[in-house]
Every structure is written in structure tokens, then in C-alpha cells.
């Protein structure tokens, strides 16, 4: 694991993917932000009222799902396979879409630059199959898109009332909808509380509710790939979201979650980072390669007051309140920024230290 200080560090993003989505206000000015995750599409949201703050705040419980008063548009682009991009909602004009020829599967479509989604006049309700919705978008009770999450092989939409709809690949049960191997039609994921965050990994997924509870589903691991990524104390796979009881028993509330290839990283409301799953390449941040069946603290950054986390396939990043970024896990392509392609050696990220006295500090 390595650490570095960047004075202006306010956000960490760890990603891999082939598709993207963007949400923007209708009148954009000032700064905007881009985010893409472990997927073949990604998500961006910018607003005239949004700005990056250099003063990192302490983590807080997931916020209640509310509709923003600022009008916004959503844009998506990239490779759509098994319905990961809602092609029926794409607006005509402004971009092109092509299919076939490039891929052998024959069911992929490419959107080569951002195309807006039609979310007006009941189009979203029709796409979701939400027949009871009032199609008048001026009505505060109308169905409105609150958040969109792009995963490795699936997509999730969270509405203003906290309901979550998913579509895409479900070969390992990662969408939490039971039997079908994939769905191009959105399916509602029933959870007892409104959804605040969804992390769709390549093999399993996690759903974080506004109450701080964490639910996971999908591939549970194996003796070959490692086990424990769902955090339930076993390597069983689950076709529907299952509450991670160990967090409840420990009195922990999650504020963020990221799913890697075979591991999970969680940030609690107290600023503590927890990991579970496959331990190879040091991806759990504990200087060992043993698997963890339950979420356990990353002791080397305990008490560091972490404000944000991010994960790739087999590595993770953590940003603390002081602007220090910690990174651990697989480093075969330099993804840790350590200057060497090795997981075992701990080094600072050279050239980023602003304080000469901290050059020799590493974790």
C-alpha cells in the first residue's frame, strides 16, 4: 500500500470501462465533474450549482433520496451489450449509433459520443414499466431519475422515491433479480429502504440504502478465485440482495461502497475503511494475501478519517481529510501510482509531495 499527499485532492475515481453517461443541468456554468466506473458505460453529472471543494468533509450517512430542483439532462455513450444503454430513450440527432461488424456477438451497439436520454412526458415511466406514474413531469410526485450507476455489465437507475431499477447482464445474479441471465427491460429491485448508492461489479453488486444498510448479491467466490466478496461469511452466491448482517451486529453504517472483481471496499459513516473478499495482490489493504469472509478494517489507515473511496478490478484508493491518497492492490499496470509495477513494495508516489518533510512518509 502506498500513500501520497496532493494539496488539491478532493476526489478519487478508480475505473475501467467502455460506456459512459452524463447528467448536466440545462444551463451549465462553472465547474463540472466526470465519473466512470468499472464498466463499458460510465456516468457524468454536472450542475451549475456544483463545485469541487478543496476542504474535504467528513463522511455522513447516505442522504435521503430527493428530487433536485435544478433541471438536468442525462447523456450516455459507449458500448451497449445486453441492453446496458437504454437505446429506446436516446434522443434522435446529436450523435450516431452503429451496430454489427465490430463485434462477433452481434448484440452490441456503439454510441460513439454523448446522446441525451428522453426523460420527458412519461418516457421514463414507459421505459421502466411504471404504469401508475403520473406522466406530468411538472408534478412533484412524477417519476424522475435521481441517479444512474454504470457497472461492468449492467446499469442501475435510482428514482426520486428511492426505488432502484436494473438492466443488463445477470449471469452471476449480480443484478439481484433472480433467475434471468440478462434483461434489456428494467426490473425493480425490492429493498426495504430507499436506495442511495449502487455499485455494480463484474461478478457481484452492492446496494446501499439511505439508512446506511448494505445489501450484496451475485457471485460469492470459489477456492480458485477467492471467497468472501459478498461479506456474508461464506462463499455462497445469492440471486437477490442479502443484508450484510455483520455490519448491523457491529453497529456500523455504510456511507459508500465499491465492488471490485472479487473484493468489496466499504466506507463507514465514521470514516473507517472496511474490505472483504479475495486477498490476492494485497487488494484488501492488510499486507496479506488471505481471503476475508467478513468486512474487516484496513488497520494501516485506521483513524485516518477517510472521506472517499474508489476501486478498480483489483485495487482501491482512499482519500483522507488531510488530502492524502492511500492506494493498495494490484499494480501490474502502474494503477497505484507507486512508480514500480509491483504489489509488494511500499513507496510514495514521487513528484506529488508539496511538503519536502513528507517525502519519506509511506504507509
Amino acid at each position: 500500500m502506498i500513500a501520497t499527499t496532493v494539496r488539491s485532492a478532493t476526489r478519487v475515481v478508480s475505473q475501467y470501462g467502455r460506456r459512459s453517461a452524463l447528467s448536466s443541468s440545462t444551463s451549465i456554468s462553472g465547474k463540472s465533474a466526470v465519473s466512470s466506473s468499472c464498466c463499458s458505460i460510465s456516468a457524468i453529472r454536472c450542475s451549475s450549482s456544483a463545485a469541487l471543494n478543496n476542504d474535504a468533509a467528513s463522511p455522513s450517512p447516505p442522504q435521503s433520496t430527493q428530487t433536485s430542483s435544478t433541471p438536468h439532462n442525462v447523456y450516455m455513450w459507449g458500448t451497449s451489450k445486453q441492453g446496458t444503454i437504454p437505446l429506446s430513450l436516446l434522443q434522435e440527432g446529436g450523435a450516431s449509433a452503429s451496430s454489427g461488424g465490430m463485434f462477433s456477438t452481434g448484440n452490441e451497439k456503439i454510441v460513439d459520443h454523448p446522446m441525451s436520454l428522453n426523460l420527458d412526458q412519461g418516457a421514463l415511466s414507459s421505459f421502466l414499466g411504471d404504469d401508475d406514474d403520473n406522466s406530468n413531469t411538472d408534478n412533484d410526485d412524477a417519476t424522475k431519475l435521481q441517479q444512474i450507476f454504470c457497472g461492468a455489465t449492467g446499469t442501475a437507475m435510482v428514482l426520486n422515491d428511492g426505488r432502484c431499477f436494473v438492466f443488463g447482464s445477470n449471469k452471476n445474479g449480480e443484478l439481484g433479480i433472480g433467475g434471468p441471465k440478462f434483461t434489456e427491460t428494467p426490473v425493480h429491485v425490492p429493498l426495504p429502504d430507499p436506495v442511495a448508492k449502487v455499485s455494480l461489479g463484474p461478478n457481484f453488486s452492492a446496494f446501499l440504502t439511505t439508512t446506511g444498510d448494505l445489501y450484496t448479491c451475485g457471485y460469492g467466490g470459489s477456492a480458485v478465485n477467492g471467497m468472501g466478496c459478498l461479506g456474508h461469511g461464506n462463499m455462497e452466491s445469492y440471486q437477490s440482495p442479502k443484508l450484510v448482517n455483520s455490519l448491523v451486529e457491529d453497529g456500523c453504517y455504510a456511507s459508500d461502497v465499491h465492488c471490485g472483481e472479487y473484493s468489496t471496499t466499504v466506507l463507514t459513516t465514521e470514516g473507517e475503511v472496511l474490505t472483504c473478499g479475495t486477498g490476492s495482490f494485497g487488494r484488501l489493504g492488510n499486507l496479506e494475501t488471505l481471503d476475508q469472509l467478513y468486512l474487516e478494517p484496513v488497520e494501516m489507515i485506521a483513524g485516518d478519517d477517510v472521506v472517499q473511496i474508489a476501486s478498480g478490478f483489483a485495487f482501491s484508493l482512499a482519500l483522507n481529510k488531510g488530502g492524502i491518497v492511500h492506494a493498495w492492490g494490484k499494480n501490474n499496470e502502474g494503477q497505484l501510482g507507486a512508480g514500480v509495477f509491483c504489489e509488494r513494495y511500499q513507496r510514495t508516489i514521487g513528484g506529488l509531495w508539496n511538503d519536502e518533510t513528507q517525502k519519506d512518509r509511506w504507509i
Side-chain angles (χ1 to χ4, degrees):
M1 178 166 27
I2 57 83
T4 186
T5 297
V6 185
R7 295 290 185 189
S8 60
T10 59
R11 189 175 187 219
V12 287
V13 178
S14 176
Q15 59 199 31
Y16 40 100
R18 294 191 299 157
R19 67 192 190 280
S20 302
L22 175 148
S23 175
S24 70
S25 64
T26 53
S27 57
I28 299 177
S29 63
K31 298 178 181 179
S32 61
V34 177
S35 171
S36 70
S37 61
C38 51
C39 55
S40 41
I41 65 173
S42 304
I44 305 175
R45 181 166 186 161
C46 15
S47 168
S48 58
S49 61
L52 296 179
N53 188 341
N54 285 335
D55 296 324
S58 297
S60 58
Q63 298 299 311
S64 298
T65 306
Q66 298 177 354
T67 303
S68 172
S69 59
T70 304
H72 63 271
N73 297 317
V74 177
Y75 299 83
M76 298 190 75
W77 65 95
T79 300
S80 178
K81 182 177 181 180
Q82 296 180 329
T84 49
I85 293 179
L87 300 175
S88 62
L89 290 179
L90 292 181
Q91 304 270 27
E92 294 295 333
S96 63
S98 60
S99 62
M102 188 176 297
F103 301 97
S104 60
T105 58
N107 63 344
E108 294 184 341
K109 291 185 179 294
I110 298 175
V111 180
D112 57 16
H113 59 282
M115 292 184 67
S116 63
L117 300 185
N118 177 17
L119 304 178
D120 298 329
Q121 299 177 353
L124 177 61
S125 297
S126 177
F127 172 69
L128 297 176
D130 198 10
D131 297 331
D132 296 332
D133 176 67
N134 186 337
S135 61
N136 181 6
T137 55
D138 294 329
N139 188 330
D140 290 339
D141 295 329
T143 295
K144 297 177 183 177
L145 179 63
Q146 181 73 9
Q147 298 186 83
I148 185 168
F149 299 97
C150 302
T153 57
T155 303
M157 288 183 169
V158 176
L159 307 184
N160 53 316
D161 58 10
R163 287 181 297 159
C164 178
F165 289 80
V166 295
F167 43 97
S169 174
N170 189 46
K171 64 179 180 179
N172 296 308
E174 60 267 41
L175 295 184
I177 58 174
K181 295 300 182 181
F182 75 94
T183 176
E184 296 185 358
T185 303
V187 178
H188 176 229
V189 181
L191 290 169
D193 298 296
V195 175
K197 164 78 183 285
V198 182
S199 179
L200 299 168
N203 299 298
F204 66 98
S205 299
F207 298 82
L208 175 61
T209 68
T210 55
T211 59
D213 287 330
L214 183 65
Y215 296 80
T216 59
C217 60
Y219 180 68
S222 69
V224 176
N225 296 323
M227 60 192 77
C229 55
L230 299 183
H232 299 307
N234 53 43
M235 61 178 183
E236 292 185 25
S237 298
Y238 295 89
Q239 297 293 313
S240 58
K242 178 179 172 60
L243 176 67
V244 180
N245 281 306
S246 61
L247 292 183
V248 178
E249 294 170 356
D250 293 339
C252 290
Y253 297 93
S255 64
D256 199 3
V257 59
H258 287 266
C259 297
E261 182 186 20
Y262 300 116
S263 61
T264 301
T265 304
V266 171
L267 178 63
T268 72
T269 55
E270 297 180 347
E272 185 177 36
V273 179
L274 312 174
T275 58
C276 67
T278 303
S280 59
F281 304 108
R283 70 185 81 190
L284 301 183
N286 55 14
L287 295 181
E288 296 180 354
T289 58
L290 298 177
D291 299 346
Q292 292 178 180
L293 301 182
Y294 294 99
L295 285 163
E296 300 289 349
V298 180
E299 297 290 353
M300 299 190 71
I301 55 174
D304 236 31
D305 201 5
V306 173
V307 297
Q308 190 185 356
I309 58 173
S311 295
F313 263 84
F315 72 102
S316 295
L317 306 174
L319 170 68
N320 72 13
K321 194 172 183 179
I324 296 176
V325 178
H326 304 274
W328 61 90
K330 196 171 185 178
N331 193 40
N332 61 315
E333 296 183 353
Q335 53 266 57
L336 300 186
V340 291
F341 300 147
C342 182
E343 290 76 42
R344 295 184 179 179
Y345 296 97
Q346 307 161 357
R347 296 183 55 179
T348 61
I349 302 178
L352 294 181
W353 294 98
N354 291 292
D355 186 344
E356 291 294 321
T357 63
Q358 299 186 65
K359 278 187 175 181
D360 295 328
R361 176 181 174 181
W362 52 266
I363 295 180

